Amino acid sequence: MSIEQMGFYQRKLAYEMDSADVKEAVDKREPIVVVDGRSADAFAQEHIPGAISLPHRGISFNSTESLDKSKLYVCYCDGIGCNASTKTALKLLTLGFQVRELIGGLDWWKRDGHATHGEGASDGTRVKCAC
């Protein structure tokens, strides 16, 4: 067993969550807030149920002043190829929030069979992985 490798995985889990963990935390009403860091238009089209729209480009002290810093903020974007979740997490962290990123974003949320809300909502039918 490599202590260095163990530390790597522990640190990684301290910064990320997968869709199953997020869904379970939401269902158990744990003190988390799911944050969509994409544009307001993308949020209106499709988003994770219960998520708040907080486009990363507009994050500031003023835009977050009503948010509860005692909660954990789980940030997401489209998924692989999009870094809005990282930008959102970094900006919120800079403002003193506890944050994690949702691994795979909205794409993997849907692939894991979770429903979405919005104009183009998905019913939760599991998307098959092409790998």
Side-chain angles (χ1 to χ4, degrees):
M1 169 175 62
S2 164
I3 292 177
E4 182 179 323
Q5 186 176 15
M6 185 182 304
F8 167 80
Y9 290 124
Q10 288 171 332
R11 286 186 304 278
K12 186 174 179 179
L13 288 172
Y15 304 128
E16 300 175 338
M17 293 178 79
D18 66 17
S19 63
D21 292 335
V22 172
K23 179 79 166 86
E24 182 179 339
V26 168
D27 289 349
K28 289 182 174 179
R29 300 186 188 276
E30 291 180 10
I32 72 164
V33 177
V34 181
V35 179
D36 189 320
R38 303 171 304 147
S39 70
D41 289 340
F43 181 84
Q45 183 60 34
E46 186 175 32
H47 59 272
I48 293 173
I52 63 168
S53 177
L54 193 60
H56 70 88
R57 286 185 170 86
I59 294 176
S60 67
F61 173 78
N62 291 336
S63 69
T64 60
E65 126 181 89
S66 66
L67 300 178
D68 182 351
K69 288 189 178 178
S70 71
K71 295 184 178 186
L72 174 66
Y73 289 78
V74 181
C75 307
Y76 77 92
C77 58
D78 286 330
I80 297 171
C82 179
N83 64 5
S85 63
T86 304
K87 290 176 180 180
T88 302
L90 180 59
K91 288 180 179 181
L92 289 176
L93 186 64
T94 301
L95 291 168
F97 291 89
Q98 302 171 68
V99 298
R100 288 193 184 170
E101 277 189 272
L102 173 59
I103 299 170
L106 185 61
D107 179 40
W108 279 96
W109 177 266
K110 295 188 304 185
R111 286 179 186 269
D112 285 344
H114 304 300
T116 60
H117 286 171
E119 298 165 12
S122 159
D123 64 2
T125 303
R126 188 176 181 91
V127 177
K128 292 189 171 125
C129 179
C131 53

